[in-house]
Amino acid sequence: MGLGMQIVYVGLPGSAAIEAQAGVQLLRLSRFNAMLSECRLVVELLPAAGQAPRYAARLELLSALHELDSVHRCEHADLDAALLAVFEAAEGDLAARKSRAAHRRASPLSVTDKQ
């Protein structure tokens, strides 16, 4: 079973294009399915008084134990760029943690015999 994702929109209407882009980005996290149970994506149009709009994307990852695992947030003037950046940050973080965990398993603590 794949990783589920809930999308919340704040300040802008939901769209099929945003959901498609988020779905494509979610595939990047599929190799970490064993570490995660769910993710929540919050897409927000930030208030901009007389300025060009900015967007924030926040990705909340829930662990396999259904506890909040990590939160990543990126802002950008382009919504697609914000989505890409937040998933890149999450992917990098998860890859680093998976690598550290594999390294710990491969390097068991042992006492070496001195002769």
XYZ file of all heavy atoms in Angstrom:
860
model
N 0.846 -1.182 0.000
C 0.000 0.000 0.000
C 0.885 1.236 0.000
O 1.881 1.300 0.699
C -0.904 -0.026 1.228
C -1.905 1.072 1.264
S -3.099 0.739 2.584
C -3.626 2.372 2.907
N 0.519 2.225 -0.777
C 1.310 3.439 -0.888
C 1.053 4.415 0.248
O 0.154 4.245 1.058
N 1.861 5.406 0.271
C 1.761 6.456 1.272
C 0.591 7.365 0.934
O 0.442 7.806 -0.201
C 3.072 7.249 1.278
C 3.235 8.374 2.276
C 3.168 7.826 3.703
C 4.566 9.068 2.053
N -0.255 7.659 1.911
C -1.389 8.546 1.701
C -1.007 9.996 1.924
O -0.051 10.296 2.636
N -1.743 10.893 1.300
C -1.467 12.320 1.467
C -2.773 13.090 1.534
O -3.671 12.902 0.714
C -0.623 12.853 0.303
C -0.342 14.351 0.405
S 0.838 14.975 -0.807
C 0.108 14.495 -2.356
N -2.853 13.949 2.511
C -3.977 14.873 2.654
C -3.475 16.249 2.236
O -2.375 16.661 2.632
C -4.435 14.893 4.112
C -5.539 15.859 4.401
C -5.870 15.904 5.887
O -5.049 15.632 6.735
N -7.100 16.260 6.179
N -4.247 16.961 1.433
C -3.859 18.309 0.993
C -4.847 19.312 1.560
O -6.056 19.143 1.441
C -3.831 18.419 -0.546
C -2.884 17.374 -1.141
C -3.405 19.829 -0.974
C -2.890 17.337 -2.662
N -4.306 20.354 2.176
C -5.107 21.432 2.743
C -4.718 22.718 2.016
O -3.537 23.013 1.859
C -4.841 21.584 4.260
C -5.611 22.757 4.824
C -5.180 20.287 4.993
N -5.715 23.469 1.593
C -5.488 24.741 0.902
C -5.873 25.886 1.831
O -6.950 25.868 2.414
C -6.335 24.824 -0.375
C -6.012 23.750 -1.373
C -6.721 22.548 -1.393
C -5.000 23.935 -2.306
C -6.425 21.562 -2.322
C -4.703 22.953 -3.235
C -5.414 21.766 -3.236
O -5.123 20.786 -4.154
N -4.992 26.869 1.947
C -5.260 28.036 2.783
C -5.106 29.279 1.910
O -4.020 29.557 1.395
C -4.287 28.109 3.988
C -4.558 29.344 4.823
C -4.370 26.842 4.829
N -6.193 30.003 1.715
C -6.141 31.254 0.961
C -6.222 31.101 -0.536
O -6.110 32.093 -1.255
N -6.383 29.895 -1.018
C -6.530 29.681 -2.452
C -7.377 28.433 -2.674
O -7.420 27.551 -1.811
C -5.177 29.544 -3.154
C -4.339 28.296 -2.893
C -3.360 28.114 -4.036
C -3.593 28.392 -1.605
N -8.057 28.385 -3.801
C -8.908 27.211 -4.062
C -8.056 26.016 -4.475
O -6.990 26.170 -5.077
C -9.803 27.672 -5.212
C -8.998 28.707 -5.914
C -8.175 29.397 -4.851
N -8.531 24.835 -4.158
C -7.864 23.630 -4.610
C -7.966 23.501 -6.114
O -8.860 24.076 -6.738
N -7.039 22.774 -6.699
C -7.098 22.586 -8.150
C -6.520 21.223 -8.514
O -5.663 20.684 -7.811
C -6.333 23.692 -8.880
O -4.948 23.466 -8.816
N -6.981 20.712 -9.623
C -6.481 19.436 -10.120
C -4.998 19.532 -10.464
O -4.248 18.570 -10.278
C -7.285 19.001 -11.334
N -4.555 20.687 -10.938
C -3.147 20.858 -11.309
C -2.246 20.768 -10.071
O -1.187 20.136 -10.114
C -2.946 22.194 -12.011
N -2.663 21.394 -8.973
C -1.874 21.332 -7.740
C -1.844 19.896 -7.226
O -0.795 19.378 -6.821
C -2.439 22.289 -6.674
C -2.272 23.740 -7.118
C -1.751 22.064 -5.324
C -2.998 24.745 -6.245
N -3.004 19.240 -7.246
C -3.071 17.860 -6.758
C -2.220 16.931 -7.627
O -1.564 16.023 -7.106
C -4.519 17.391 -6.701
C -5.285 18.109 -5.599
C -6.749 17.733 -5.539
O -7.133 16.663 -6.057
O -7.520 18.517 -4.966
N -2.200 17.146 -8.925
C -1.381 16.320 -9.819
C 0.098 16.517 -9.529
O 0.860 15.544 -9.438
C -1.693 16.651 -11.274
N 0.505 17.773 -9.364
C 1.912 18.069 -9.064
C 2.307 17.459 -7.721
O 3.372 16.862 -7.583
C 2.149 19.584 -9.066
C 3.523 20.009 -8.609
C 4.638 19.686 -9.593
O 4.481 18.934 -10.538
N 5.791 20.250 -9.353
N 1.446 17.588 -6.715
C 1.728 17.014 -5.395
C 1.802 15.493 -5.479
O 2.653 14.871 -4.833
C 0.665 17.453 -4.397
N 0.941 14.889 -6.274
C 0.960 13.442 -6.442
C 2.246 12.953 -7.084
O 2.818 11.935 -6.674
N 2.722 13.685 -8.074
C 3.993 13.340 -8.719
C 5.134 13.455 -7.705
O 5.999 12.576 -7.614
C 4.253 14.249 -9.943
C 5.683 14.118 -10.433
C 3.269 13.928 -11.055
N 5.134 14.519 -6.933
C 6.187 14.709 -5.934
C 6.114 13.649 -4.835
O 7.141 13.215 -4.319
C 6.116 16.116 -5.337
C 6.404 17.223 -6.319
C 7.753 17.064 -7.007
O 8.747 16.693 -6.390
N 7.778 17.331 -8.306
N 4.908 13.223 -4.481
C 4.747 12.201 -3.449
C 5.428 10.894 -3.860
O 5.950 10.172 -3.007
C 3.264 11.962 -3.170
C 2.939 10.923 -2.096
C 3.461 11.384 -0.738
C 1.447 10.678 -2.036
N 5.453 10.611 -5.140
C 6.127 9.397 -5.624
C 7.597 9.375 -5.231
O 8.173 8.297 -5.047
C 5.986 9.282 -7.142
C 4.578 9.007 -7.666
C 4.558 9.057 -9.188
C 4.065 7.676 -7.150
N 8.196 10.539 -5.069
C 9.599 10.620 -4.658
C 9.824 10.026 -3.274
O 10.917 9.580 -2.953
C 10.068 12.073 -4.643
C 9.967 12.760 -5.968
C 10.234 14.205 -5.836
N 11.651 14.398 -5.537
C 12.267 15.549 -5.690
N 11.614 16.587 -6.119
N 13.538 15.658 -5.416
N 8.770 10.043 -2.450
C 8.900 9.555 -1.077
C 8.535 8.079 -0.952
O 8.607 7.520 0.138
C 8.017 10.391 -0.142
C 8.251 11.900 -0.150
C 7.381 12.575 0.902
C 9.722 12.230 0.083
N 8.154 7.439 -2.054
C 7.661 6.058 -1.974
C 8.705 5.087 -1.437
O 8.343 4.097 -0.812
C 7.136 5.602 -3.333
O 8.171 5.588 -4.282
N 9.981 5.357 -1.632
C 10.998 4.438 -1.106
C 11.117 4.496 0.412
O 11.803 3.686 1.015
C 12.347 4.693 -1.778
C 12.949 6.036 -1.481
C 14.216 6.228 -2.293
N 14.665 7.596 -2.245
C 15.918 7.940 -2.017
N 16.841 7.017 -1.845
N 16.255 9.200 -1.990
N 10.415 5.460 1.019
C 10.437 5.585 2.472
C 9.117 5.135 3.108
O 8.846 5.440 4.258
C 10.734 7.036 2.872
C 11.972 7.582 2.223
C 11.897 8.500 1.195
C 13.225 7.148 2.630
C 13.024 8.989 0.586
C 14.377 7.628 2.019
C 14.278 8.550 1.005
N 8.297 4.425 2.355
C 6.983 4.010 2.850
C 7.056 3.277 4.180
O 6.174 3.430 5.024
C 6.254 3.144 1.821
C 5.644 3.963 0.701
O 5.680 5.191 0.710
N 5.092 3.282 -0.275
N 8.092 2.483 4.390
C 8.217 1.731 5.643
C 8.450 2.650 6.840
O 8.123 2.285 7.967
C 9.350 0.717 5.542
N 8.972 3.842 6.593
C 9.258 4.790 7.678
C 8.065 5.683 7.989
O 8.029 6.302 9.050
C 10.450 5.686 7.288
C 11.739 4.952 7.052
S 13.021 6.014 6.308
C 13.266 7.258 7.550
N 7.104 5.767 7.064
C 6.025 6.755 7.174
C 4.652 6.097 7.106
O 4.486 5.045 6.509
C 6.145 7.775 6.043
C 7.462 8.535 5.949
C 7.530 9.315 4.656
C 7.649 9.430 7.154
N 3.684 6.762 7.711
C 2.306 6.278 7.613
C 1.434 7.218 6.790
O 0.472 6.782 6.172
C 1.696 6.119 9.010
O 1.616 7.367 9.661
N 1.780 8.493 6.778
C 0.931 9.478 6.104
C 1.701 10.777 5.950
O 2.667 11.036 6.663
C -0.309 9.718 6.969
C -1.320 10.671 6.400
C -2.506 10.898 7.354
O -2.691 10.135 8.305
O -3.214 11.877 7.112
N 1.259 11.593 5.019
C 1.802 12.942 4.936
C 0.666 13.921 4.687
O -0.363 13.579 4.105
C 2.911 13.061 3.900
S 2.409 13.024 2.213
N 0.868 15.113 5.184
C -0.102 16.196 5.014
C 0.622 17.349 4.333
O 1.658 17.804 4.797
C -0.632 16.663 6.363
C -1.382 15.608 7.110
C -1.857 16.129 8.452
N -2.390 15.030 9.227
C -2.201 14.873 10.519
N -1.509 15.758 11.207
N -2.717 13.841 11.147
N 0.027 17.822 3.274
C 0.587 18.955 2.544
C -0.341 20.140 2.739
O -1.536 20.046 2.475
C 0.702 18.613 1.055
C 1.153 19.741 0.137
C 2.571 20.190 0.470
C 1.047 19.305 -1.319
N 0.219 21.245 3.212
C -0.539 22.479 3.362
C 0.006 23.456 2.323
O 1.198 23.759 2.306
C -0.409 23.073 4.777
C -1.183 24.380 4.882
C -0.874 22.067 5.827
N -0.872 23.904 1.430
C -0.511 24.858 0.390
C -1.190 26.169 0.745
O -2.402 26.218 0.923
C -0.985 24.357 -0.996
C -0.622 25.356 -2.065
C -0.408 22.992 -1.291
N -0.398 27.225 0.842
C -0.938 28.500 1.338
C -0.531 29.664 0.448
O 0.629 29.761 0.032
C -0.406 28.727 2.757
C -0.893 29.976 3.415
C -0.385 30.118 4.847
O 0.428 29.299 5.303
O -0.803 31.085 5.504
N -1.492 30.516 0.167
C -1.217 31.793 -0.484
C -0.938 32.782 0.638
O -1.802 33.032 1.482
C -2.406 32.249 -1.324
C -2.301 33.641 -1.949
C -1.130 33.716 -2.924
C -3.595 34.000 -2.655
N 0.280 33.299 0.677
C 0.661 34.215 1.757
C 0.126 35.612 1.483
O 0.096 36.056 0.332
C 2.182 34.244 1.906
C 2.817 32.886 2.236
C 4.331 32.995 2.185
C 2.354 32.398 3.597
N -0.270 36.316 2.529
C -0.752 37.690 2.338
C 0.361 38.573 1.767
O 1.506 38.493 2.204
C -1.118 38.150 3.743
C -1.042 36.961 4.623
C -0.287 35.900 3.913
N 0.011 39.366 0.782
C 0.987 40.257 0.153
C 0.306 41.585 -0.134
O -0.450 41.710 -1.090
C 1.512 39.637 -1.136
N 0.577 42.557 0.708
C -0.024 43.877 0.552
C 0.625 44.603 -0.621
O 1.696 45.177 -0.502
C 0.142 44.678 1.840
N -0.043 44.564 -1.785
C 0.448 45.286 -2.953
C 1.668 44.667 -3.607
O 2.263 45.279 -4.476
N 2.074 43.493 -3.197
C 3.247 42.843 -3.777
C 2.804 41.611 -4.573
O 1.653 41.208 -4.511
C 4.210 42.414 -2.674
C 4.711 43.556 -1.825
C 5.536 43.052 -0.639
O 5.806 41.877 -0.524
N 5.903 43.961 0.241
N 3.730 41.053 -5.304
C 3.437 39.816 -6.034
C 3.132 38.713 -5.029
O 3.718 38.677 -3.947
C 4.640 39.437 -6.892
N 2.228 37.837 -5.369
C 1.876 36.776 -4.419
C 3.042 35.830 -4.149
O 3.907 35.628 -5.007
C 0.727 36.040 -5.117
C 0.836 36.386 -6.548
C 1.502 37.719 -6.619
N 3.057 35.284 -2.939
C 4.028 34.256 -2.550
C 3.246 33.078 -2.006
O 2.170 33.238 -1.458
C 5.009 34.768 -1.493
C 6.016 35.741 -2.075
C 7.139 36.063 -1.123
N 7.986 34.953 -0.730
C 8.997 34.456 -1.446
N 9.253 34.962 -2.633
N 9.723 33.463 -1.006
N 3.835 31.923 -2.182
C 3.187 30.694 -1.745
C 4.073 29.974 -0.738
O 5.302 30.064 -0.804
C 2.937 29.772 -2.942
C 2.048 30.395 -3.979
C 2.577 31.113 -5.044
C 0.665 30.292 -3.874
C 1.759 31.703 -5.992
C -0.168 30.883 -4.817
C 0.392 31.584 -5.872
O -0.423 32.169 -6.798
N 3.438 29.281 0.175
C 4.155 28.436 1.123
C 3.635 27.019 0.960
O 2.436 26.803 0.770
C 3.943 28.919 2.557
N 4.539 26.082 1.032
C 4.180 24.668 1.032
C 4.784 24.066 2.291
O 5.975 24.232 2.554
C 4.724 23.976 -0.208
N 3.942 23.415 3.081
C 4.407 22.765 4.314
C 4.048 21.288 4.227
O 2.906 20.932 3.938
C 3.761 23.391 5.545
C 4.309 22.835 6.850
C 3.745 23.541 8.064
N 2.362 23.145 8.295
C 1.327 23.985 8.329
N 1.506 25.275 8.116
N 0.113 23.542 8.554
N 5.032 20.445 4.455
C 4.827 19.007 4.388
C 5.057 18.426 5.773
O 6.147 18.537 6.329
C 5.803 18.392 3.377
C 5.582 16.941 2.998
C 4.226 16.755 2.327
C 6.696 16.463 2.086
N 4.014 17.836 6.325
C 4.086 17.198 7.639
C 4.106 15.697 7.416
O 3.199 15.146 6.803
C 2.878 17.585 8.489
C 2.741 19.080 8.695
C 1.422 19.473 9.324
O 0.535 18.606 9.491
O 1.272 20.658 9.647
N 5.148 15.046 7.905
C 5.293 13.605 7.730
C 4.991 12.900 9.039
O 5.512 13.284 10.092
C 6.715 13.279 7.269
C 7.135 13.941 5.961
C 8.598 13.659 5.666
C 6.258 13.476 4.813
N 4.167 11.881 8.976
C 3.833 11.091 10.160
C 4.566 9.760 10.083
O 4.587 9.111 9.027
C 2.325 10.854 10.251
C 1.522 12.023 10.829
C 1.543 13.223 9.925
C 0.126 11.606 11.148
N 5.151 9.374 11.211
C 5.937 8.150 11.264
C 5.047 6.923 11.137
O 3.816 7.012 11.188
C 6.716 8.079 12.583
O 5.816 7.797 13.649
N 5.684 5.769 11.026
C 4.954 4.508 10.964
C 4.129 4.291 12.225
O 3.152 3.552 12.212
C 5.920 3.352 10.747
N 4.490 4.960 13.318
C 3.746 4.874 14.577
C 2.669 5.952 14.667
O 2.093 6.169 15.727
C 4.700 4.986 15.767
C 5.778 3.903 15.848
C 6.753 4.199 16.972
C 5.154 2.531 16.007
N 2.432 6.659 13.559
C 1.417 7.719 13.451
C 1.724 8.919 14.357
O 0.825 9.596 14.822
C 0.010 7.167 13.728
C -0.375 6.094 12.779
N -0.815 6.350 11.506
C -0.347 4.742 12.901
C -1.052 5.209 10.883
N -0.776 4.219 11.700
N 2.999 9.168 14.580
C 3.434 10.339 15.335
C 4.045 11.335 14.354
O 4.600 10.937 13.326
C 4.476 9.940 16.382
C 3.955 8.963 17.411
C 5.055 8.398 18.285
O 6.249 8.507 17.924
O 4.717 7.829 19.328
N 3.958 12.622 14.698
C 4.564 13.643 13.836
C 6.062 13.382 13.764
O 6.755 13.343 14.779
C 4.281 15.047 14.371
C 4.726 16.188 13.481
C 4.010 16.140 12.131
C 4.472 17.520 14.147
N 6.540 13.146 12.574
C 7.935 12.775 12.362
C 8.774 14.001 12.014
O 9.812 14.230 12.605
C 8.010 11.744 11.237
C 9.414 11.265 10.983
O 9.945 10.571 11.855
O 9.979 11.592 9.922
N 8.335 14.759 11.048
C 9.073 15.948 10.647
C 8.166 16.889 9.866
O 7.148 16.487 9.327
C 10.303 15.578 9.811
O 9.921 14.880 8.655
N 8.584 18.148 9.846
C 7.846 19.180 9.125
C 8.850 19.944 8.262
O 9.915 20.337 8.730
C 7.142 20.158 10.100
C 6.452 21.272 9.331
C 6.160 19.417 10.997
N 8.498 20.122 7.014
C 9.339 20.877 6.081
C 8.484 22.001 5.509
O 7.308 21.802 5.222
C 9.844 19.967 4.962
C 10.599 18.787 5.494
N 11.931 18.853 5.805
C 10.190 17.539 5.817
C 12.312 17.687 6.281
N 11.281 16.868 6.295
N 9.087 23.185 5.342
C 8.329 24.339 4.841
C 9.191 25.119 3.864
O 10.371 25.372 4.125
C 7.922 25.239 6.003
C 7.023 26.398 5.589
C 6.539 27.163 6.821
N 5.492 28.092 6.511
C 5.675 29.307 6.013
N 6.890 29.735 5.756
N 4.648 30.092 5.760
N 8.603 25.478 2.739
C 9.303 26.283 1.743
C 8.365 27.356 1.220
O 7.168 27.125 1.067
C 9.771 25.405 0.578
S 11.010 24.200 1.063
N 8.921 28.526 0.947
C 8.173 29.643 0.353
C 8.796 29.990 -0.988
O 10.012 29.903 -1.165
C 8.238 30.878 1.247
C 7.476 30.771 2.528
C 7.524 32.070 3.329
O 7.829 33.148 2.758
O 7.267 32.010 4.538
N 7.927 30.414 -1.911
C 8.427 30.824 -3.232
C 7.347 31.635 -3.932
O 6.165 31.497 -3.630
C 8.787 29.589 -4.064
C 9.741 29.875 -5.171
N 9.356 30.419 -6.376
C 11.068 29.695 -5.255
C 10.405 30.559 -7.151
N 11.473 30.121 -6.504
N 7.760 32.443 -4.889
C 6.797 33.207 -5.684
C 6.039 32.298 -6.653
O 4.955 32.640 -7.100
C 7.516 34.309 -6.461
N 6.607 31.139 -6.953
C 5.990 30.168 -7.859
C 5.554 28.952 -7.043
O 6.368 28.335 -6.357
C 6.991 29.760 -8.931
C 6.423 28.721 -9.877
O 5.432 29.030 -10.568
O 6.957 27.597 -9.904
N 4.280 28.612 -7.115
C 3.750 27.502 -6.320
C 4.418 26.178 -6.671
O 4.753 25.392 -5.781
C 2.233 27.402 -6.484
C 1.545 26.298 -5.699
C 1.880 26.341 -4.224
C 0.044 26.365 -5.906
N 4.636 25.907 -7.947
C 5.296 24.657 -8.338
C 6.701 24.568 -7.746
O 7.131 23.501 -7.311
C 5.358 24.527 -9.857
C 4.016 24.172 -10.470
O 3.142 23.638 -9.738
O 3.829 24.419 -11.677
N 7.411 25.677 -7.713
C 8.759 25.693 -7.142
C 8.709 25.432 -5.638
O 9.568 24.729 -5.100
C 9.446 27.024 -7.430
N 7.715 25.980 -4.960
C 7.561 25.734 -3.521
C 7.272 24.263 -3.255
O 7.826 23.660 -2.333
C 6.457 26.615 -2.942
N 6.396 23.656 -4.085
C 6.087 22.233 -3.928
C 7.329 21.381 -4.168
O 7.627 20.463 -3.393
C 4.976 21.817 -4.893
C 3.577 22.336 -4.583
C 2.617 21.986 -5.717
C 3.070 21.774 -3.267
N 8.041 21.666 -5.237
C 9.253 20.923 -5.547
C 10.262 21.020 -4.403
O 10.828 20.016 -3.960
C 9.865 21.445 -6.848
C 11.142 20.769 -7.310
C 10.879 19.320 -7.703
C 11.730 21.536 -8.485
N 10.464 22.216 -3.895
C 11.450 22.430 -2.834
C 11.086 21.714 -1.541
O 11.949 21.140 -0.876
C 11.617 23.932 -2.574
N 9.811 21.716 -1.181
C 9.423 21.085 0.081
C 9.571 19.567 -0.009
O 9.999 18.918 0.955
C 8.012 21.525 0.529
C 6.902 20.814 -0.216
C 7.840 21.346 2.021
N 9.251 18.984 -1.158
C 9.429 17.543 -1.304
C 10.908 17.178 -1.409
O 11.329 16.133 -0.912
C 8.637 17.013 -2.495
C 7.195 16.749 -2.167
C 6.232 17.725 -2.390
C 6.790 15.544 -1.627
C 4.895 17.497 -2.087
C 5.460 15.302 -1.311
C 4.511 16.281 -1.542
N 11.718 18.039 -2.043
C 13.167 17.802 -2.092
C 13.758 17.812 -0.692
O 14.599 16.970 -0.362
C 13.866 18.860 -2.948
C 13.758 18.634 -4.419
C 14.458 19.706 -5.245
O 14.892 20.743 -4.679
O 14.563 19.514 -6.464
N 13.323 18.758 0.129
C 13.823 18.837 1.508
C 13.440 17.584 2.292
O 14.262 17.010 3.012
C 13.273 20.088 2.193
N 12.207 17.148 2.147
C 11.754 15.951 2.858
C 12.507 14.717 2.368
O 12.936 13.886 3.182
C 10.251 15.765 2.668
N 12.681 14.599 1.072
C 13.384 13.451 0.512
C 14.826 13.401 1.010
O 15.334 12.340 1.409
C 13.355 13.504 -1.009
C 14.024 12.317 -1.672
C 14.016 12.410 -3.188
O 13.978 13.535 -3.740
O 14.040 11.349 -3.821
N 15.494 14.545 1.019
C 16.871 14.599 1.509
C 16.976 14.219 2.976
O 17.867 13.466 3.379
N 16.058 14.712 3.774
C 16.041 14.405 5.202
C 15.803 12.914 5.435
O 16.510 12.274 6.213
C 14.962 15.240 5.896
C 14.860 14.965 7.374
O 15.903 14.927 8.058
O 13.721 14.780 7.870
N 14.814 12.358 4.758
C 14.509 10.935 4.926
C 15.656 10.051 4.439
O 15.986 9.046 5.072
C 13.218 10.583 4.189
C 11.939 11.159 4.810
C 10.775 11.025 3.829
C 11.621 10.484 6.130
N 16.284 10.411 3.334
C 17.408 9.636 2.816
C 18.571 9.647 3.803
O 19.202 8.607 4.033
C 17.850 10.180 1.465
N 18.845 10.795 4.387
C 19.935 10.887 5.360
C 19.637 10.031 6.591
O 20.511 9.321 7.098
C 20.159 12.340 5.765
N 18.391 10.073 7.063
C 18.032 9.260 8.230
C 18.077 7.778 7.925
O 18.521 6.976 8.738
C 16.664 9.670 8.761
C 16.762 10.980 9.527
C 15.561 11.186 10.385
N 14.552 11.834 9.566
C 13.259 11.667 9.723
N 12.799 10.867 10.632
N 12.417 12.315 8.957
N 17.636 7.403 6.739
C 17.663 5.996 6.352
C 19.108 5.511 6.253
O 19.435 4.396 6.674
C 16.937 5.808 5.020
C 16.760 4.375 4.610
C 15.910 4.264 3.357
C 15.671 2.813 2.980
N 14.818 2.716 1.790
N 19.978 6.346 5.718
C 21.390 6.000 5.596
C 22.033 5.839 6.977
O 22.801 4.898 7.204
C 22.117 7.076 4.792
O 23.488 6.810 4.731
N 21.732 6.753 7.886
C 22.281 6.653 9.250
C 21.804 5.380 9.933
O 22.574 4.699 10.612
C 21.907 7.876 10.079
C 22.696 9.129 9.732
C 22.508 10.234 10.762
N 21.141 10.615 10.971
C 20.492 11.583 10.315
N 21.128 12.256 9.369
N 19.242 11.874 10.586
N 20.521 5.053 9.758
C 19.971 3.844 10.375
C 20.642 2.599 9.793
O 20.970 1.666 10.525
C 18.461 3.788 10.176
N 20.873 2.576 8.491
C 21.537 1.433 7.862
C 22.975 1.312 8.344
O 23.476 0.212 8.581
C 21.493 1.571 6.347
N 23.622 2.443 8.517
C 25.007 2.449 8.997
C 25.076 1.909 10.426
O 25.972 1.143 10.758
C 25.588 3.862 8.920
C 26.996 3.953 9.405
N 28.036 3.330 8.755
C 27.532 4.565 10.492
C 29.157 3.568 9.418
N 28.871 4.315 10.460
N 24.112 2.290 11.262
C 24.087 1.777 12.648
C 23.880 0.264 12.664
O 24.487 -0.438 13.457
C 23.003 2.466 13.460
C 23.383 3.869 13.923
C 22.440 4.399 14.987
N 21.076 4.531 14.521
C 20.558 5.599 13.934
N 21.313 6.651 13.742
N 19.304 5.632 13.545
N 23.011 -0.239 11.780
C 22.772 -1.685 11.727
C 23.995 -2.432 11.212
O 24.280 -3.547 11.626
C 21.566 -1.998 10.835
C 20.238 -1.683 11.494
C 19.076 -2.257 10.699
N 19.006 -1.772 9.325
C 18.401 -0.655 8.939
N 17.815 0.122 9.827
N 18.382 -0.295 7.666
N 24.728 -1.817 10.297
C 25.901 -2.460 9.704
C 27.121 -2.398 10.615
O 28.071 -3.134 10.426
C 26.229 -1.816 8.361
N 27.096 -1.524 11.598
C 28.228 -1.359 12.508
C 27.808 -1.687 13.931
O 27.682 -0.809 14.777
C 28.737 0.086 12.457
O 29.070 0.447 11.153
N 27.617 -2.973 14.234
C 27.199 -3.322 15.588
C 28.298 -3.014 16.586
O 29.481 -3.069 16.257
C 26.908 -4.820 15.503
C 27.726 -5.300 14.355
C 27.808 -4.139 13.392
N 27.896 -2.676 17.771
C 28.877 -2.436 18.826
C 29.475 -3.767 19.250
O 28.772 -4.707 19.563
C 28.197 -1.760 20.020
C 27.599 -0.376 19.757
C 26.885 0.121 20.993
C 28.692 0.585 19.369
N 30.764 -3.856 19.223
C 31.420 -5.086 19.639
C 32.749 -4.745 20.291
O 33.351 -3.715 20.030
C 31.619 -6.023 18.460
O 32.488 -5.415 17.521
N 33.174 -5.636 21.122
C 34.475 -5.471 21.780
C 35.462 -6.278 20.980
O 35.267 -7.457 20.701
C 34.404 -5.984 23.239
C 35.756 -5.888 23.892
C 33.345 -5.223 24.006
N 36.549 -5.641 20.597
C 37.560 -6.360 19.831
C 38.534 -7.020 20.791
O 38.870 -6.480 21.842
C 38.336 -5.409 18.892
O 38.895 -4.355 19.671
C 37.380 -4.818 17.864
N 38.951 -8.210 20.441
C 39.890 -8.942 21.274
C 41.289 -8.403 21.019
O 41.695 -8.204 19.892
C 39.858 -10.436 20.931
C 38.553 -11.067 21.307
O 37.973 -10.651 22.340
O 38.101 -11.968 20.577
N 41.998 -8.184 22.105
C 43.381 -7.736 21.993
C 44.264 -8.931 22.329
O 44.114 -9.531 23.376
C 43.678 -6.580 22.932
C 42.924 -5.330 22.567
C 43.310 -4.191 23.451
C 42.542 -2.945 23.063
N 42.891 -1.790 23.856
N 45.179 -9.258 21.449
C 46.062 -10.399 21.699
C 47.490 -9.991 21.708
O 47.979 -9.164 21.102
C 45.839 -11.478 20.646
C 44.437 -12.018 20.740
C 44.194 -13.079 19.674
O 45.040 -13.323 18.816
N 43.045 -13.702 19.745
